[in-house]
Amino acid sequence: MGLTLYQRDDCHLCDLALAVLAQARAPDFDSVFIDDDAALEALYGARVPVLRDAGGRELEWPFDAARVAAWLPPPR
């Protein structure tokens, strides 16, 4: 599926997003920390946490388990 969670170090909202993704039973995802990447900081700095799929769709915080489940494509 190719999910990526963009986040920061020491980010309370990112910690909450991780808990929501676990609650939603989201499939495996990569975590990318934007802190040391100027391009990612410019793109996601004020928006983290952001969940992105391989097709480029993004789900921005705030989200809950129901919203994540609705956003994810159905399992094959």
Side-chain angles (χ1 to χ4, degrees), residues 32-57:
V32 174
F33 292 85
I34 68 167
D35 301 286
D36 295 325
D37 186 312
L40 290 177
E41 178 71 39
L43 187 59
Y44 292 109
R47 300 190 300 142
V48 293
V50 175
L51 187 62
R52 181 180 172 102
D53 70 10
R57 292 183 317 134

